[in-house]
Amino acid sequence: KILVIGACGQIGVELTLALRKMYGEGNVIASDLREEHELLRGTGPYVSLDVMNKEMLHVLVIRHNITQVYLLAAILSATGEKNPLLAWHINMASLLNVLDIAKEEGLDKVYWPSSIAVFGPNSPKEDTEQHTIIEPTTIYGISKFAGERWCEYYNHRYNVDVRSLRYPGLISYKSAPGGGTTDYAVEIFHEALEEKSYKCFLREDTYLPMMYMPDAIRATIELMESDASKISVRAGYNLASMSFSPKEIAAEIKKHIPDFTISYEPDYRQAIADGWPGSINDELARKDWGWNHEYDLPKMVEDMLTNLPAQLAK
Ligand code: VAH
């Protein structure tokens, strides 16, 4: 049985739905602190879980015969900067609880997302490689960097089969983003449809690695389904599909909504974005387990503007 922790978050909702399609609804237990997301209701078992409560998590793993855990609960970059010690505590204790229970119960596999936020101002800005200077400057990035080392440690010391991806900024319409710096790329669609204008909190030329959620979900499942012998990275694999700036995505949206306008009022999130690479080299993921993205900017914008209105109308 699979347990998804943080199943009501931006990634969690779609990952839970995809896993239920693949493995059968009853075999994927969704859990979160929050109440069940509307899109999950009626699609399979849901339990309330505080991943910080190791005993409760351990009992749940045993009671439901869990063999795989996907840990999506975390405090993201922008929110993390407002309460660094809390973000560090939640992001690290949740991972260590899962890794240690995976070791104790001999779980088959664990998935834990890392992020391009592990890179910092001293990392190469373009075509940033898997192994390069990694000096994160946000607490979120520091927790993802430290978490990567813990994943490597539990793998080589205790043989825990933990796998991870350094997600770029993720764009989706089914569930809201959770307090990240790349959230502008989701907000812009909601504002374009509802107000025909958007005030962007990043500068127009802030070029960041991004990915459409269907690609991110498929990458996650393809990685988890790969033979362990193909996995050469137990920290987070670099993963890429496209990079764009607010100006570029705004221009693409204008092709569909001609009277859409955008203005720019950078805030504290600009400094976070400035520390991240503009583009990522993911050749290792493509070589090791055959990663290949499907969505570029035009295709993503088309799909978002086709599907978001119905979602907003609910
Ligand atoms: C964030 N969406 O902005 C997340 C992600 C690369 C960005 O880690 O914090």
Side-chain angles (χ1 to χ4, degrees):
K1 292 269 182 76
I2 293 173
L3 173 64
V4 179
I5 302 172
C8 297
Q10 184 191 12
I11 301 169
V13 167
E14 302 215 36
L15 193 54
T16 300
L17 293 171
L19 291 169
R20 284 177 168 163
K21 267 207 192 82
M22 277 188 79
Y23 301 109
E25 296 189 346
N27 294 321
V28 182
I29 320 265
S31 72
D32 202 297
L33 257 184
R34 291 167 282 190
E35 65 169 22
E36 192 174 20
H37 191 282
E38 58 171 355
L39 292 178
L40 295 181
R41 236 169 260 141
T43 69
Y46 183 82
V47 295
S48 171
L49 170 72
D50 175 357
V51 66
M52 303 298 280
N53 183 329
K54 189 174 179 179
E55 290 66 34
M56 190 173 152
L57 174 59
H58 204 155
V59 165
L60 202 154
V61 164
I62 294 168
R63 181 184 298 157
H64 291 276
N65 302 313
I66 299 299
T67 54
Q68 290 188 40
V69 174
Y70 286 72
L71 171 58
L72 284 314
I75 304 292
L76 298 186
S77 61
T79 310
E81 291 308 291
K82 294 174 185 163
N83 196 332
L85 289 178
L86 178 66
W88 169 258
H89 176 55
I90 288 175
N91 290 359
M92 299 322 296
S94 57
L95 175 61
L96 293 179
N97 286 349
V98 169
L99 288 174
D100 213 43
I101 290 169
K103 170 193 152 214
E104 282 179 48
E105 296 302 325
L107 298 191
D108 293 343
K109 289 178 201 169
V110 171
Y111 180 75
W112 175 78
S114 184
S115 163
I116 60 152
V118 297
F119 298 111
N122 299 330
S123 308
K125 277 287 171 207
E126 296 304 329
D127 199 35
T128 308
E129 307 234 330
Q130 182 75 39
H131 303 289
T132 184
I133 294 170
I134 293 200
E135 296 166 354
T137 54
T138 63
I139 201 64
Y140 171 72
I142 292 166
S143 72
K144 289 300 182 184
F145 174 68
E148 288 190 352
R149 306 292 72 75
W150 275 106
C151 290
E152 287 166 338
Y153 186 84
Y154 265 80
N155 177 255
H156 70 69
R157 175 82 193 271
Y158 305 117
N159 208 26
V160 171
D161 186 348
V162 52
R163 306 182 187 194
S164 180
L165 295 168
R166 287 172 181 164
Y167 288 134
L170 299 182
I171 294 146
S172 62
Y173 60 87
K174 288 184 181 168
S175 49
T181 300
T182 56
D183 293 5
Y184 90 86
V186 177
E187 291 173 5
I188 191 169
F189 287 101
H190 290 255
E191 298 302 308
L193 288 169
E194 289 169 358
E195 311 295 335
K196 291 201 187 312
S197 72
Y198 178 57
K199 192 167 62 179
C200 184
F201 54 73
L202 295 181
R203 268 195 332 266
E204 67 175 7
D205 59 348
T206 308
Y207 197 67
L208 288 171
M210 297 281 192
M211 183 173 284
Y212 197 32
M213 187 62 80
D215 267 346
I217 298 299
R218 183 170 52 81
T220 308
I221 290 175
E222 286 176 6
L223 171 67
M224 292 298 276
E225 287 288 304
S226 298
D227 190 284
S229 62
K230 293 185 179 167
I231 310 290
S232 71
V233 169
R234 290 297 172 166
Y237 270 99
N238 278 7
L239 189 75
S241 66
M242 55 183 153
S243 291
F244 57 76
S245 65
K247 187 177 179 186
E248 288 171 331
I249 188 172
E252 196 60 38
I253 289 173
K254 272 174 83 80
K255 290 179 187 169
H256 300 263
I257 308 175
D259 49 349
F260 170 64
T261 60
I262 184 167
S263 60
Y264 301 94
E265 277 190 30
D267 67 13
Y268 73 102
R269 290 167 283 192
Q270 185 65 49
I272 296 174
D274 288 343
W276 290 349
S279 63
I280 296 289
N281 179 314
D282 64 354
E283 63 191 21
L284 206 51
R286 292 173 192 262
K287 181 174 72 69
D288 285 2
W289 45 277
W291 167 241
N292 200 6
H293 71 281
E294 287 174 13
Y295 285 88
D296 59 9
L297 181 58
K299 196 173 170 191
M300 180 269 286
V301 169
E302 162 84 30
D303 198 68
M304 279 292 284
L305 291 177
T306 304
N307 291 292
L308 185 55
Q311 185 63 26
L312 291 177
K314 277 186 179 175

